[in-house]
Amino acid sequence: MASWNQKTFKDLTNSKPLFLTIYTVVIVGVIFSSIYVFSAIYGTKSPSYTSWSLSSSLTPSYAPDGDSAYADRGLKPSRPGTEARRPDVVLKTPSTWTRPIWELPPPGAKMPPLKAFRLTKQLVKQRVKDNVIIVTFGNYAFMDFILNWVKHLTDLGVYNLLVGAMDTKLLEALYWKGIPVFDMGSHMTTTDPGWGSPAFHKMGREKVTLIDTMLPFGYELLMCDTDMVWLKNPLPYIARFPGADLLTSTDQVVPTVVDDSLEVWQHVTGAYNIGIFHWRPTDSAKKLAKEWREMLLADEKIWDQNGFNEIVHKQLGPSVDDESGLVYAFDGNLKLGFLPTSIFCSGHTFFVQAMYQQLRLEPYAVHTTFQYAGTEGKRHRLREAMVFIDEPEYYNSPGGFLSFKPSIPKHLLLDGEHSVESHFALVNYQLKQIRTALAIASLLNRTLVMPPLWCRFDRLWFPHSGTLEGSMTRQPFLCPLDHVFEVNVMLKELPEEEFGPKIDIREYSFLENPLLPNQFR
């Protein structure tokens, strides 16, 4: 037995190099496995985003006090954890700004504190791409418009966007839907302010404050109202004009170009519309934003758009060059360009003139201006154009639907002069058919799919000769429902004892909408 032990020990001694090799390999393997496990648990995983999200490896952080969006309101950024945390220390946590858009917070997640949504340069940095950020803002009353705005951009493959929430109800709702949102600190009402109201003007001032706050961050800013829809990625178009400090939409109804060039500035007579405009963080642009904000804060009676037009017109001209279409404006250094209204459409050039169709151009955007039924009218127009994404229940009706094909005599549409008389004869003929259809829908408890309406005259809030001179409005033309009906009143909940049972309606394009489930076709 002893001799066997001696022999065994001798063999092990002779095989010591092999033993040490095996032992070393095992130890190294354990070390590398440990490193891998710890990195998988504690490391920052680079997200693999689908086509719904912005690819970014950045994580949320709390920026220094100097980056606070509303520092002048006395709101100082507070950081989680100890007060001794250095300003440049990044707090790496999952957030609504780094997750893919539309990806919901993980199960069991809690709503972060309100201060985590404060607008800072570091927050914006999470969403920026190619130094551009696209921003809209609103209160809870415009939740569906905001979701529609975001969905159209993400469907176009554009993810460098942020939404400013003017009330905490909207902020929380967007957070739980996976939308990158920040707090504007506005303490806004959650109801529709209505055009021209004090709350409406407050929203305008908040927009200007937002622009003045964000430009010093150093990013290009494409600012949009929520009542517009992106139909085509605008960023390649904007990149064609790198020399522009500011590109703005207009209320121009007469085209000055027939292609996709910028409008000829000398011929732009419509107001400069601030529903869609792109800012570069140049000294002149920052100076304009600051002066514009100070003007509005000094006089609460000034409408933000009128103030913008006034300040830009301090100097207008000469042209920057012979090719770009840009013009010197404001302080003589600001290079300004006007987005063509044929493709950055207003409510008139899109819904009435269909200018882009006549010029055979592809529209980038539509803004629901030039309409007459408030927020309900804006929503209905977008539905008519099938560019508003509703919740599934909108496409259902407990009693079913009723539609009909209107019959209009040729002479009412085409014969004779286009006059007040011929216009009303055409419209009244259609109203009689719609009245009958509404009665049948009421008796059958069905939702009426409104027919397309034809008009010979435009509807405007000032005297005109039937159509705007120089515009591309054809006669007759397919007119929006709010040209004839008070859509906002029709959609209200009115006392049944006074107005009778409510009759639900849908837009004329409802049955052609791809979102309509097949069983209803």
Side-chain angles (χ1 to χ4, degrees), residues 83-99:
E83 294 299 323
R85 182 184 294 277
R86 296 198 338 266
D88 58 343
V89 171
V90 176
L91 182 66
K92 298 182 178 179
T93 58
S95 84
T96 187
W97 305 287
T98 56
R99 280 194 301 269

Side-chain angles (χ1 to χ4, degrees), residues 4 55 61 81 88 155 182 201 213 218 345 361 387 392 479 483:
W4 182 88
S55 179
S61 68
D88 58 343
D155 282 354
F182 65 89
H201 288 294
T213 298
C345 309
L361 299 172
V387 293
C479 52
H483 267 41

Side-chain angles (χ1 to χ4, degrees), residues 205-353:
R205 280 155 174 73
E206 293 288 321
K207 174 199 283 189
V208 182
T209 297
L210 185 57
I211 295 169
D212 184 48
T213 298
M214 294 187 74
L215 283 180
F217 292 169
Y219 305 121
E220 296 181 31
L221 174 63
L222 179 53
M223 177 65 70
C224 323
D225 287 352
T226 57
D227 62 339
M228 59 80 56
V229 174
W230 290 110
L231 306 174
K232 188 177 178 181
N233 182 358
L235 299 181
Y237 183 90
I238 290 169
R240 288 168 46 186
F241 307 96
D245 298 308
L246 179 60
L247 296 171
T248 184
S249 58
T250 73
D251 288 337
Q252 184 74 10
V253 294
V254 178
T256 68
V257 293
V258 294
D259 55 16
D260 63 352
S261 305
L262 294 178
E263 299 281 7
V264 179
W265 68 267
Q266 295 94 333
H267 299 158
V268 174
T269 57
Y272 306 161
N273 191 291
I274 60 174
I276 307 172
F277 54 174
H278 175 266
W279 299 69
R280 286 194 171 88
T282 61
D283 290 341
S284 289
K286 287 185 280 189
K287 180 181 176 183
L288 169 59
K290 181 177 178 61
E291 194 169 319
W292 184 19
R293 177 174 178 268
E294 290 173 349
M295 170 197 285
L296 296 179
L297 294 179
D299 187 349
E300 62 180 14
K301 295 181 180 178
I302 300 177
W303 179 27
D304 56 345
Q305 182 164 290
N306 287 347
F308 176 78
N309 278 261
E310 178 181 334
I311 206 167
V312 168
H313 275 96
K314 281 187 173 182
Q315 176 178 332
L316 191 63
S319 298
V320 172
D321 52 50
D322 296 331
E323 293 84 26
S324 67
L326 301 176
V327 57
Y328 287 111
F330 172 49
D331 60 355
N333 295 312
L334 182 88
K335 295 184 284 295
L336 175 66
F338 302 108
L339 298 169
T341 193
S342 59
I343 51 179
F344 291 86
C345 309
S346 68
H348 199 277
T349 61
F350 188 90
F351 297 107
V352 177
Q353 296 189 52

